[in-house]
Amino acid sequence: MNKTILITGSSAGIGKAAAQYFAAKGWNVVATMRSPEKETTLTELSNVLVTRLDVQEKADMQRVIAEGIKRFGKIDVLLNNAGYGLFGPFELATDAQIKQQFDVNVFGLMHLTQAILPHFRANKAGTIINVSSMGGRITFPIVSLYHATKFAVEGFSESLAYELSALNIKVKLVEPGAIVTGFDGAANFTGNPDITDYDDFVKGFLELWGSKTQERTTAMQVAEVIYEAATDGTSRLRYVAGEDAKELHGIRMSGEEPYHAYMQKHWMPAHV
């Protein structure tokens, strides 16, 4: 029997690339998204089930899992991929923006993980792959809330890996760097037209970001790393995707002072 993966956020970017990659490798795929009626590519693949799931709606999660099991017999891997970035000064974030950032990136991931665990326990096997970010171990200016969610995913996943290991359930983290998905272009921004003190800093940082992330990792390259995490048969926790992520993680591991000196020199706007 072919293995089955359930993927969140499959309408675009890493999620869609992963659905296509796993399907091409012969896996069954439960591809979830908020608007499945708009999907035209994945619906043409016989080993892909496209179905609706908004990770902010906990009540739908058991339905999606049941649909996947009914169609393919069982689910072997959960890929928690759905997420987005909230950019902008923290002071200017609204309560609604803060809540949604955590609801999607953290609580949705936790709720779906909790929902799949009874199935994995019954099978005495399963793998949970959480898409984190290089921003789960290093930080940039004006992305404090996004970083907070990804640091949460990192700590949650590492601890969960320990407690599930005795049940033959693996937990893995994939940490992409800057990727070609339109992620930051479509991201939400905090802001307040009455507060302009941050404007020069934000403008300067966004110019730096654009100049330093021109050569990005593709979503399909990240999908290949996800496939490695799903199939390598090891208990390895972290998988870094992208040369920029590998470089920045290496600098962070060199020590706090060298890392902060590097960030001050290369990632702070010149006029600040």
Side-chain angles (χ1 to χ4, degrees):
M1 183 182 295
N2 291 345
K3 289 192 173 184
T4 301
I5 183 170
L6 190 161
I7 303 173
T8 64
S10 299
S11 62
I14 293 172
K16 186 162 190 174
Q20 292 171 318
Y21 192 86
F22 275 80
K25 291 288 188 179
W27 281 55
N28 301 316
V29 178
V30 182
T32 74
M33 57 194 70
R34 287 179 297 173
S35 302
E37 68 279 1
K38 297 179 182 179
E39 178 57 41
T40 58
T41 304
L42 296 176
T43 51
E44 296 179 356
L45 302 176
S46 61
N47 56 338
V48 176
L49 169 63
V50 176
T51 188
R52 184 186 183 280
L53 178 65
D54 183 336
V55 297
Q56 296 179 88
E57 298 175 7
K58 184 179 180 182
D60 276 354
M61 293 179 178
Q62 292 294 348
R63 172 190 57 78
V64 168
I65 293 168
E67 283 183 6
I69 295 169
K70 182 178 179 180
R71 173 74 175 270
F72 299 122
K74 69 171 182 173
I75 296 169
D76 301 278
V77 176
L78 168 63
L79 175 61
N80 281 310
N81 164 72
Y84 77 100
L86 180 64
F87 282 53
F90 169 71
E91 181 186 351
L92 309 186
T94 65
D95 288 348
Q97 285 178 316
I98 295 170
K99 182 177 184 301
Q100 185 176 30
Q101 180 75 115
F102 277 84
D103 281 347
V104 174
N105 289 13
V106 181
F107 299 127
L109 175 152
M110 288 180 172
H111 289 151
L112 189 54
T113 297
Q114 211 167 33
I116 198 74
L117 280 175
H119 181 63
F120 284 174
R121 283 192 293 104
N123 294 337
K124 295 182 172 56
T127 300
I128 299 160
I129 302 175
N130 294 330
V131 177
S132 178
S133 166
M134 66 177 176
R137 288 202 281 167
I138 59 97
T139 63
F140 297 104
I142 75 163
V143 208
S144 58
L145 288 165
Y146 174 74
H147 285 307
T149 65
K150 292 304 183 180
F151 269 66
V153 168
E154 292 274 334
F156 168 70
S157 301
E158 184 171 319
S159 178
L160 190 66
Y162 295 138
E163 69 187 66
L164 295 180
S165 60
L167 302 176
N168 197 35
I169 300 170
K170 296 181 174 66
V171 179
K172 310 219 168 187
L173 283 159
V174 173
E175 302 168 330
I179 53 177
V180 185
T181 64
F183 177 84
D184 46 320
N188 289 352
F189 275 78
T190 67
N192 184 330
D194 297 325
I195 299 176
T196 60
D197 294 335
Y198 295 101
D199 288 0
D200 288 345
F201 185 93
V202 170
K203 181 175 183 293
F205 174 75
L206 291 177
E207 288 173 353
L208 273 175
W209 178 259
S211 68
K212 290 179 177 293
T213 58
Q214 292 176 353
E215 294 185 8
R216 300 186 178 198
T217 304
T218 67
M220 192 57 74
Q221 288 172 317
V222 179
E224 292 173 3
V225 175
I226 292 169
Y227 186 79
E228 178 189 0
T231 60
D232 67 5
T234 73
S235 297
R236 176 179 167 191
L237 176 64
R238 289 184 169 87
Y239 298 75
V240 180
E243 294 305 314
D244 56 341
K246 292 175 184 177
E247 178 184 4
L248 286 165
H249 284 168
I251 294 169
R252 184 67 191 248
M253 293 299 290
S254 68
E256 289 295 310
E257 290 187 11
Y259 166 71
H260 286 297
Y262 173 88
M263 294 302 292
Q264 288 286 341
K265 180 178 180 180
H266 295 282
W267 285 98
M268 292 291 283
H271 60 274
V272 176

